[in-house]
Amino acid sequence: MLSEKILNYEPVAANAYQYQQIARAIDYLYENFRMQPGLEEVAAQVNMSAFHFQRMFTEWAGISPKRFLQFLTTDYLKHRITGFDNLLDAADAAGLSSQSRVYDLFVNLEAVTPQEYKEKGSGILIEYGFHNTPFGECIIGVTGRGICHLSFLQEGNRSAAIEELEAAWERAQVRENSRNTELMASAIFHRKPGEQEKLSVLVKGTNFQVKVWNALLEVPYGAVSTYQSLAKHIEQPNALQAVGSAVGANPIAYLIPCHRIIRKNLIIGEYHWGTERKKAMLGWEMSKTAI
């Protein structure tokens, strides 16, 4: 059973500067875990006192930096890696099922029609807004049929984030409406554990990409899987490169959890929105579902 502390825990949104410090610290811990760096050493990497760094990190994660790092080690990942052929059994064996249900987001994925795909968003209104999340600032785009875009900002560049959205939906009408997108941001990043609101997403991709994105939704919160297992699950075991490309082309960060796919050698690997952010997300999720 989850502890009362975890059940009552609500995620803390970090502003861009705070998140960058946290992500840098996580990356330093991950790269130097064999040396077991102390709190003072890690804090110095982000130009903070040990006291203020510990407080900021604990407010963000709910646990200490040292405890957080344990969830990113290869030994721990071994216990959280699952294959799609026995996903539910593996989740049960790892004690994940009940915890995952507390935190998992229920996502209904809809793909545009072939005609809509050709029309590149023509006739679709997309409203977007920028919001702070536990993983830095993001941009969310929504349509009348659900969330169509979620991306994390790189170096706080809002203009580039808008351009990326407009390029993905070339002929759509795009306008800012942060009041509307705030509801979505809250449902994704600031909901209380146990709330079971279903979220709809609208994606524009090839049949192969959509198949991969649907499969990603099956990886439970707090677990990881591999590119090989994902390829096998969609019955394309020899299409590892294509599967990897589809994972990397995921247009809806976090909600379609491509960050839960790692290499078979238990290396966390690259991430479209930064490897540091992927480590932060995985450690965050695993810490919430730890037994």
Side-chain angles (χ1 to χ4, degrees):
M1 181 178 293
L2 291 174
S3 70
E4 182 178 351
K5 175 184 175 183
I6 293 178
L7 280 173
N8 290 334
Y9 183 79
E10 294 185 41
V12 175
N15 64 40
Y17 178 67
Q18 288 175 326
Y19 172 72
Q20 288 169 6
Q21 290 177 301
I22 290 167
R24 283 170 54 201
I26 291 171
D27 197 52
Y28 183 80
L29 283 164
Y30 181 79
E31 296 298 330
N32 296 278
F33 77 95
R34 293 185 186 281
M35 305 295 293
Q36 293 293 303
L39 181 63
E40 291 79 5
E41 180 180 345
V42 179
Q45 297 299 313
V46 294
N47 300 314
M48 296 183 70
S49 70
F51 172 79
H52 286 98
F53 171 70
Q54 173 93 340
R55 186 175 66 178
M56 180 183 71
F57 194 99
T58 304
E59 286 177 354
W60 175 79
I63 55 176
S64 70
K66 184 176 181 180
R67 175 65 173 148
F68 189 92
L69 178 62
Q70 295 177 7
F71 298 112
L72 297 178
T73 63
T74 55
D75 285 342
Y76 191 82
L77 290 174
K78 285 179 184 177
H79 297 293
R80 289 297 174 96
I81 199 163
T82 63
F84 283 84
D85 54 344
N86 64 338
L87 202 57
L88 294 178
D89 290 342
D92 282 331
L96 285 173
S97 291
S98 60
Q99 296 100 316
S100 295
R101 281 193 290 269
V102 170
Y103 289 96
D104 244 331
L105 292 162
F106 290 85
V107 179
N108 178 56
L109 187 149
E110 176 189 353
V112 298
T113 66
Q115 184 60 36
E116 288 174 323
Y117 185 85
K118 292 178 182 178
E119 293 174 351
K120 301 180 180 180
S122 178
I124 294 177
L125 171 63
I126 299 175
E127 296 181 323
Y128 71 88
F130 294 95
H131 305 281
N132 283 329
T133 80
F135 313 110
E137 189 176 21
C138 78
I139 181 173
I140 298 178
V142 300
T143 73
R145 292 153 67 185
I147 298 167
C148 68
H149 188 85
L150 200 169
S151 179
F152 291 98
L153 272 61
Q154 306 285 17
E155 300 180 354
N157 193 331
R158 288 190 171 190
S159 295
I162 295 170
E163 289 173 4
E164 182 183 14
L165 168 60
E166 292 175 334
W169 296 86
E170 188 176 339
R171 296 179 184 170
Q173 179 186 353
V174 177
R175 70 185 186 195
E176 185 172 9
N177 186 349
S178 57
R179 282 190 176 185
N180 190 9
T181 55
E182 174 63 37
L183 298 174
M184 298 298 181
S186 295
I188 298 167
F189 297 107
H190 307 300
R191 68 190 179 90
K192 294 181 179 179
E195 291 181 349
Q196 303 296 341
E197 181 176 357
K198 181 173 286 188
L199 295 166
S200 296
V201 300
L202 177 68
V203 296
K204 183 171 67 69
T206 65
N207 289 338
F208 183 85
Q209 288 175 324
V210 172
K211 195 172 186 179
V212 171
W213 299 337
N214 260 313
L216 289 172
L217 295 174
E218 299 181 38
V219 184
Y221 190 105
V224 289
S225 194
T226 65
Y227 293 97
Q228 287 79 4
S229 182
L230 181 59
K232 180 181 177 182
H233 179 65
I234 65 168
E235 300 180 345
Q236 298 282 346
N238 298 318
L240 281 179
Q241 185 173 353
V243 167
S245 296
V247 170
N250 171 26
I252 303 179
Y254 192 72
L255 205 49
I256 298 177
C258 59
H259 60 280
R260 296 177 193 159
I261 302 300
I262 65 174
R263 299 176 187 172
K264 66 178 180 179
N265 60 0
L266 303 179
I267 298 298
I268 288 177
E270 297 179 355
Y271 184 57
H272 179 75
W273 295 280
T275 304
E276 292 177 350
R277 184 170 277 111
K278 183 174 183 177
K279 293 169 187 171
M281 288 178 175
L282 290 177
W284 171 281
E285 293 183 350
M286 290 179 180
S287 69
K288 303 299 175 290
T289 54
I291 301 172

